[in-house]
């Protein structure tokens, strides 16, 4: 099965601001966070190489990616946003079409400052996004925050929201984009059969340069009311860890075919 970080990939596809406001309490002077050390988990996989691909510079956020609540937890540095994109196993993609808003979880990949998504040629959410734009959000859940009062319970997390102008990918960039998505899921592109021309023609690939982005991060202890600090109630954090299990051969796998090292190395990590 998938690790806990994959099961809790994201809470919403409507933007990191909304997601984080659901998960967090506003930072104030009562904060006594100790900077909880995060355990190793699936969400901490290393980022792919960005050689030869431009990464958008850090800069002032746009109006729609500026944090209103919990602004002290906002991080507008592009390197933070990219690290969350690379750490999150999936993203949630949101569009607004003729029937209203739609949010779906999707696999993703990244090369430099461009996000890639893929699906069937008739994929509704991608085709809608190509016409009206799309928003992608990414979330890694790092632990539970248990406060003395239930209304102060929270979660420790890292999340990001990304906006840009999506465009259809064809030609030589298409194979590179598909490899980026595949390698983000499992780094085994070179160990399998290469995609056929027919498979490539049946696949829609969408790229989106990261034009607007923001991240929001919570870590540390609960923020309890001062009058509750001497009470008899337990307070603290419960770190969330996840790990891949040992690979299991397919029931129809032929004899003598070994697990590729890139896949077997996942075990326990």
């Amino acid at each position: 099965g998938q690790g806990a970080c994959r099961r809790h990939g994201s809470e919403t596809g409507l933007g990191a601001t909304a997601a984080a406001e659901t998960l967090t309490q506003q930072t104030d002077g009562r904060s006594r966070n100790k900077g909880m050390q995060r355990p190793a988990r699936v969400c901490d996989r290393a980022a792919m190489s960005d050689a030869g691909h431009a990464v958008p510079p850090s800069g002032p956020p746009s109006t729609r990616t500026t944090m209103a609540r919990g602004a002290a937890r906002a991080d507008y540095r592009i390197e933070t946003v990219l690290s969350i994109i690379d750490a999150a196993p999936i993203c949630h993609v949101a569009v607004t079409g003729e029937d209203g808003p739609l949010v779906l979880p999707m696999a993703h990949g990244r090369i430099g400052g461009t996000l890639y998504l893929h699906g069937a040629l008739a994929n509704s959410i991608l085709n809608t996004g190509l016409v009206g734009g799309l928003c992608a959000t990414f979330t890694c859940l790092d632990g539970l925050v248990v406060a003395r009062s239930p209304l102060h319970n929270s979660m420790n997390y890292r999340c990001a929201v990304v906006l840009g102008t999506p465009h259809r990918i064809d030609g030589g960039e298409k194979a590179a984009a598909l490899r980026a998505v595949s390698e983000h899921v499992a780094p085994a592109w070179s160990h399998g059969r290469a995609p056929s021309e027919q498979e490539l023609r049946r696949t829609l690939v969408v790229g989106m340069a990261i034009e607007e982005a923001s991240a929001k991060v919570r870590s540390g202890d609960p923020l309890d009311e001062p009058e509750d600090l001497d009470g008899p109630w337990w307070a603290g954090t419960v770190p969330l860890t996840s790990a891949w299990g040992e690979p299991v051969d397919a029931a129809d796998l032929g004899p003598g075919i070994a697990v590729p090292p890139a896949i077997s190395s996942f075990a326990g990590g």
Side-chain angles (χ1 to χ4, degrees), residues 5 9 16 38 43-45 47 73 75 77-91 108 110 137-142 157-162 184 214-218:
C5 198
R38 298 191 186 102
C43 267
D44 280 337
R45 285 193 288 125
R73 294 189 179 126
D75 192 333
R77 293 172 298 175
I78 191 61
E79 56 267 30
T80 302
V81 172
L82 296 182
S83 72
I84 295 171
I85 292 174
D86 293 341
I90 64 171
C91 66
H108 66 278
R110 178 182 71 84
T137 65
F138 310 79
T139 303
C140 277
L141 181 60
D142 296 327
Y157 61 89
R158 291 159 289 144
C159 63
V161 60
V162 169
H184 184 77
S214 60
K216 199 170 187 180
V217 179
R218 191 207 191 280

Side-chain angles (χ1 to χ4, degrees), residues 12-15 93-104 124-125 128 133-135:
T12 180
L14 297 178
V93 178
V95 298
T96 301
E98 294 180 357
D99 297 326
L102 176 65
V103 181
L104 288 177
S124 176
I125 197 165
T128 300
L134 60 80
C135 169

Side-chain angles (χ1 to χ4, degrees), residues 5-201:
C5 198
R6 290 214 181 244
R7 290 197 300 271
H8 296 279
S10 181
E11 297 298 320
T12 180
L14 297 178
T17 301
E21 288 176 3
T22 301
L23 295 173
T24 188
Q25 305 157 354
Q26 189 171 5
T27 302
D28 58 27
R30 294 176 284 123
S31 176
R32 303 181 315 284
N33 291 349
K34 300 177 182 178
M36 181 182 70
Q37 185 176 2
R38 298 191 186 102
R41 57 193 175 280
V42 176
C43 267
D44 280 337
R45 285 193 288 125
M48 296 183 298
S49 171
D50 296 325
H53 297 278
V55 174
S58 302
S62 63
T63 301
R64 59 180 177 173
T65 54
T66 300
M67 302 295 171
R69 289 181 53 82
R73 294 189 179 126
D75 192 333
Y76 301 110
R77 293 172 298 175
I78 191 61
E79 56 267 30
T80 302
V81 172
L82 296 182
S83 72
I84 295 171
I85 292 174
D86 293 341
I90 64 171
C91 66
H92 282 73
V93 178
V95 298
T96 301
E98 294 180 357
D99 297 326
L102 176 65
V103 181
L104 288 177
M106 302 189 74
H108 66 278
R110 178 182 71 84
I111 301 177
T114 300
L115 175 71
Y116 293 102
L117 306 166
H118 81 301
L121 287 176
N123 185 287
S124 176
I125 197 165
L126 291 181
N127 281 287
T128 300
L130 286 170
V131 175
L134 60 80
C135 169
T137 65
F138 310 79
T139 303
C140 277
L141 181 60
D142 296 327
L144 303 178
V145 179
V146 182
R148 292 168 176 84
S149 170
L151 291 183
H152 288 315
N153 289 347
S154 188
M155 300 179 189
N156 285 330
Y157 61 89
R158 291 159 289 144
C159 63
V161 60
V162 169
L163 299 121
T165 304
H167 58 282
R168 181 168 176 158
I169 300 296
D170 289 302
E173 187 183 358
K174 187 172 187 177
L178 286 170
R179 179 165 187 163
V181 175
S182 178
E183 294 273 291
H184 184 77
V185 175
W189 180 271
S190 60
H191 298 287
R193 174 184 61 79
S196 67
E197 288 299 321
Q198 184 180 18
E199 289 171 327
L200 291 174
R201 287 195 298 269

Side-chain angles (χ1 to χ4, degrees), residues 214-231:
S214 60
K216 199 170 187 180
V217 179
R218 191 207 191 280
S219 63
D221 288 344
L223 304 177
D224 282 305
E225 300 296 338
E227 58 269 25
D228 292 336
L229 299 183
D230 294 328

Side-chain angles (χ1 to χ4, degrees), residues 225-246:
E225 300 296 338
E227 58 269 25
D228 292 336
L229 299 183
D230 294 328
W233 313 285
W234 185 84
T237 58
V238 183
L240 177 65
T241 61
S242 58
W244 298 111
E246 294 291 338

